[in-house]
Amino acid sequence: EVCDFELFLSCLSRVLNLPPENLITSISAVPISQKEEVADFQLSVDSLLEKDNDHSRPDIQVQAKRLAEKLRCDTVVSEISTGQRTVNFKINRELLTKTVLQQVIEDGSKYGLKSELFSGLPQKKIVVEFSSPNVAKKFHVGHLRSTIIGNFIANLKEALGHQVIRINYLGDWGMQFGLLGTGFQLFGYEEKLQSNPLQHLFEVYVQVNKEAADDKSVAKAAQEFFQRLELGDVQALSLWQKFRDLSIEEYIRVYKRLGVYFDEYSGESFYREKSQEVLKLLESKGLLLKTIKGTAVVDLSGNGDPSSICTVMRSDGTSLYATRDLAAAIDRMDKYNFDTMIYVTDKGQKKHFQQVFQMLKIMGYDWAERCQHVPFGVVQGMKTRRGDVTFLEDVLNEIQLRMLQNMASIKTTKELKNPQETAERVGLAALIIQDFKGLLLSDYKFSWDRVFQSRGDTGVFLQYTHARLHSLEETFGCGYLNDFNTACLQEPQSVSILQHLLRFDEVLYKSSQDFQPRHIVSYLLTLSHLAAVAHKTLQIKDSPPEVAGARLHLFKAVRSVLANGMKLLGITPMEFRSCCPGWSAMV
């Protein structure tokens, strides 16, 4: 079955005497409108003329009119009109219905990803570094944002057919381990370490920091412990290794609750020797400058501009964060030969990454331009009932608790097999949608009430919509899905849904270009509103079989696209019955 878009494209390409690939980016599906019925596709005359290179062109509106007159309605196009600098096309309604629904059902989880917009896309090897908490320190909100944003980028790239390597680059080296090693010898308990490593190491770290501030001998012991680590002392390293291994085991368990996994748990510790090689290389190229204090720096401006000076070595010869990042980038290139490497961290690290990429370049690594930093804004005020967020698990437990309370208030928990798991998944959707609604770079004030509000554009609404549509299929599916007459879907509510489904590929394309999940979020929320309105008016029960079958097909297509979009965002779509009595009221 040829998609109506392809038929439409070949007709246009013939009339305009332009190759179809020149037209793809000039044509878009028209966003649906609440107020009026709109066309299905629009051709941007601006964009078309840019490709024409004819600078003596007359007024664009005149060009649009001429173009519209040139084109004829046929079996595919039922109506042609002009808009502001556009030519608008309405597709034969039955053809639109048949091809869109067929395409959604046939392509399944690949719907939208097989679009002409992605054709000829070279398959790449992409490294995404995200989450990256510090062992024994707080897992703060910045790490949470990095985790869900990095997961989204990795999911989207993978869905587009790229080979993605997900790396968690742990803060697992540095002076904090001198303190931890000393602290554990003073206040550590083996059984507490085994049963709750993250919590116990954090408590030891807080306690030893207090002691070191008051007692010089503790601070000295910590320094000595770290020196032993740096020199490869077997006992010190074995204690460090135990801290690291137990922490990773715990992280894996907690990330699983979040629906996130990593291909590699790397860390700064991997690069303590390789960073010495980086320093030698910088020195051999004459880029390393010694300061009066004994530190080593690289002057990226070449003229002593203080803002362009990057410190790469402490006075005692040990490496810094920047040096280890250089060593990690070089190592990953050797190991993976990546086409792109994406670092997902908060915008406070923007300058750090600019300097790292610049240093790689002056060291002679041309592939530095394949490295990219995706920055995000700061979230203020995320607290749990226990106070500030210390661990990722605190956030997940808080989500579960609050969602269970919400569900209890609408009497849904009794009918659920696993209310805890349902509460966590619905709550996670709420948290992710709240975070992804705006520009990633924007700072925002966090509010649990806003995350869990029962009405409006929330993740709770998306989950309930998906669950409600799934329940429809379970209730009516067997009897009706064989009957399917496209002529039965001509109501405005059906047409709006079909037109919206037509735009899914453009939304995926936008997000793949700028890494902003908000395009997909906004699309899915609109789709859910359209589905809720259609569900009120397009009855399945007591309708003739072919009408019921056609409507059920439509709702099945909506649920399929909704699930695809949610999974890309890192949300597991729920399939629970009788949990959404207030669904229509949430519109």
Side-chain angles (χ1 to χ4, degrees):
E1 179 71 46
V2 184
C3 168
D4 51 346
F5 179 67
E6 286 170 24
L7 283 169
F8 169 58
L9 197 60
S10 58
C11 302
L12 261 188
S13 123
R14 266 201 314 277
V15 175
L16 299 174
N17 197 19
L18 282 168
E21 55 272 21
N22 279 24
L23 291 169
I24 285 170
T25 50
S26 301
I27 298 169
S28 58
V30 179
I32 54 124
S33 158
Q34 302 290 340
K35 299 184 192 84
E36 54 186 354
E37 197 184 332
V38 292
D40 302 310
F41 290 112
Q42 60 185 24
L43 176 68
S44 158
V45 181
D46 272 335
S47 158
L48 198 61
L49 294 175
E50 265 169 34
K51 296 186 178 80
D52 203 14
N53 293 328
D54 176 13
H55 299 297
S56 62
R57 64 189 192 221
D59 176 64
I60 285 187
Q61 211 52 35
V62 174
Q63 289 278 57
K65 284 205 162 65
R66 272 191 205 161
L67 208 51
E69 283 157 17
K70 227 181 183 186
L71 300 159
R72 291 270 168 274
C73 295
D74 56 16
T75 51
V76 177
V77 179
S78 63
E79 204 177 289
I80 299 169
S81 60
T82 55
Q84 272 300 103
R85 310 161 89 88
T86 62
V87 179
N88 302 330
F89 303 90
K90 204 169 173 181
I91 301 295
N92 170 321
R93 284 290 163 254
E94 225 172 299
L95 187 65
L96 175 80
T97 308
K98 193 176 173 190
T99 49
V100 170
L101 292 187
Q102 213 149 3
Q103 200 92 38
V104 173
I105 288 155
E106 272 175 27
D107 289 353
S109 64
K110 291 271 174 245
Y111 178 70
L113 297 161
K114 288 182 167 184
S115 158
E116 298 79 5
L117 289 170
F118 299 113
S119 63
L121 196 73
Q123 302 306 284
K124 292 183 173 178
K125 195 179 269 192
I126 297 169
V127 171
V128 188
E129 181 196 295
F130 63 106
S131 194
S132 308
N134 297 302
V135 174
K137 290 188 181 176
K138 284 185 179 186
F139 189 107
H140 60 75
V141 188
H143 294 126
L144 177 62
R145 283 206 91 185
S146 171
T147 308
I148 59 177
I149 295 165
N151 188 48
F152 159 69
I153 292 170
N155 288 347
L156 185 57
K157 291 292 181 188
E158 217 157 51
L160 290 169
H162 301 296
Q163 186 189 341
V164 177
I165 298 113
R166 301 159 187 252
I167 295 181
N168 197 340
Y169 182 66
L170 299 173
D172 63 356
W173 199 251
M175 194 52 211
Q176 81 217 53
F177 283 94
L179 285 159
L180 255 192
T182 304
F184 192 74
Q185 287 163 346
L186 292 170
F187 329 106
Y189 291 97
E190 187 61 34
E191 57 277 18
K192 279 190 181 177
L193 180 67
Q194 295 292 339
S195 64
N196 197 340
L198 297 178
Q199 172 105 30
H200 188 51
L201 288 175
F202 179 70
E203 285 164 358
V204 167
Y205 186 63
V206 170
Q207 202 173 347
V208 75
N209 262 303
K210 278 184 192 152
E211 293 288 328
D214 300 334
D215 185 342
K216 291 261 184 343
S217 67
V218 175
K220 192 168 182 289
Q223 242 170 336
E224 283 166 7
F225 190 92
F226 185 54
Q227 271 168 339
R228 280 165 57 205
L229 270 180
E230 289 260 274
L231 294 167
D233 176 84
V234 178
Q235 250 178 327
L237 273 174
S238 108
L239 188 59
W240 167 83
Q241 189 72 48
K242 185 164 35 175
F243 293 162
R244 189 182 193 277
D245 293 348
L246 289 170
S247 295
I248 288 175
E249 258 175 57
E250 182 86 345
Y251 278 134
I252 290 170
R253 185 184 64 75
V254 181
Y255 283 129
K256 199 173 176 185
R257 280 179 70 181
L258 197 56
V260 171
Y261 72 91
F262 293 91
D263 300 298
E264 186 185 301
Y265 279 85
S266 170
E268 294 183 68
S269 61
F270 284 45
Y271 302 107
R272 54 186 196 274
E273 278 151 32
K274 287 191 170 138
S275 55
Q276 294 304 318
E277 291 166 29
V278 167
L279 292 171
K280 279 178 195 155
L281 186 60
L282 285 166
E283 194 164 25
S284 70
K285 290 186 176 282
L287 297 166
L288 209 58
L289 306 169
K290 284 273 169 64
T291 67
I292 305 163
K293 292 175 187 167
T295 59
V297 299
V298 175
D299 176 11
L300 292 165
S301 65
N303 60 17
D305 173 6
S307 67
S308 296
I309 284 176
C310 183
T311 308
V312 288
M313 188 183 83
R314 289 193 185 90
S315 54
D316 63 0
T318 55
S319 62
L320 280 118
Y321 185 52
T323 337
R324 296 193 282 269
D325 261 346
L326 290 170
I330 295 163
D331 179 58
R332 287 172 197 169
M333 191 62 195
D334 290 343
K335 190 172 175 183
Y336 297 115
N337 191 24
F338 56 78
D339 296 293
T340 308
M341 178 154 62
I342 298 163
Y343 296 86
V344 186
T345 73
D346 68 76
K347 61 185 179 186
Q349 294 198 45
K350 194 177 172 188
K351 187 181 174 187
H352 164 78
F353 282 109
Q354 279 171 347
Q355 291 189 331
V356 167
F357 302 159
Q358 224 179 322
M359 273 193 281
L360 286 168
K361 214 164 187 173
I362 61 173
M363 285 166 82
Y365 296 113
D366 292 341
W367 49 261
E369 58 205 27
R370 301 185 202 176
C371 299
Q372 190 177 354
H373 177 219
V374 175
F376 54 81
V378 178
V379 181
Q380 287 133 349
M382 186 195 266
K383 288 187 184 320
T384 66
R385 279 152 215 230
R386 291 171 51 185
D388 285 335
V389 172
T390 308
F391 308 107
L392 173 56
E393 193 144 30
D394 293 342
V395 180
L396 299 180
N397 293 342
E398 186 79 9
I399 283 171
Q400 193 184 82
L401 189 69
R402 285 178 183 262
M403 197 62 218
L404 274 170
Q405 285 174 341
N406 279 20
M407 284 157 56
S409 70
I410 51 169
K411 314 269 189 300
T412 62
T413 36
K414 287 173 198 155
E415 297 124 356
L416 293 171
K417 281 181 194 154
N418 191 341
Q420 272 82 10
E421 189 190 342
T422 300
E424 188 160 300
R425 286 199 181 164
V426 176
L428 265 175
L431 185 79
I432 290 170
I433 294 300
Q434 173 63 33
D435 195 87
F436 284 179
K437 268 163 90 171
L439 268 170
L440 293 183
L441 257 180
S442 305
D443 300 339
Y444 71 89
K445 273 201 161 56
F446 185 82
S447 149
W448 286 110
D449 293 339
R450 204 167 52 239
V451 167
F452 287 117
Q453 64 188 21
S454 60
R455 289 171 184 272
D457 292 347
T458 64
V460 178
F461 177 49
L462 285 190
Q463 284 286 30
Y464 279 5
T465 303
H466 184 274
R468 191 76 190 85
L469 295 173
H470 183 261
S471 156
L472 271 185
E473 281 171 52
E474 280 200 331
T475 309
F476 299 107
C478 321
Y480 290 126
L481 271 172
N482 303 329
D483 282 300
F484 178 31
N485 179 357
T486 47
C488 300
L489 288 175
Q490 302 306 308
E491 306 85 355
Q493 294 88 343
S494 305
V495 173
S496 287
I497 286 175
L498 292 162
Q499 289 175 318
H500 195 57
L501 291 175
L502 207 53
R503 290 188 59 231
F504 189 49
D505 63 336
E506 291 174 23
V507 172
L508 295 179
Y509 183 73
K510 251 188 195 167
S511 281
S512 75
Q513 293 297 296
D514 64 7
F515 296 147
Q516 297 289 334
R518 68 196 172 107
H519 310 303
I520 297 174
V521 169
S522 161
Y523 175 90
L524 296 180
L525 288 166
T526 301
L527 183 60
S528 296
H529 284 294
L530 291 172
V533 170
H535 181 257
K536 280 184 197 168
T537 47
L538 307 178
Q539 296 297 317
I540 292 174
K541 199 179 176 185
D542 303 329
S543 295
E546 59 174 15
V547 173
R551 288 173 179 176
L552 204 53
H553 260 91
L554 181 71
F555 288 127
K556 189 181 171 143
V558 170
R559 187 189 66 78
S560 173
V561 174
L562 191 56
N564 293 352
M566 287 164 82
K567 285 173 189 165
L568 286 176
L569 296 172
I571 296 168
T572 306
M574 293 307 295
E575 298 180 349
F576 45 94
R577 294 190 66 165
S578 54
C579 74
C580 17
W583 181 56
S584 296
M586 293 169 84
V587 183

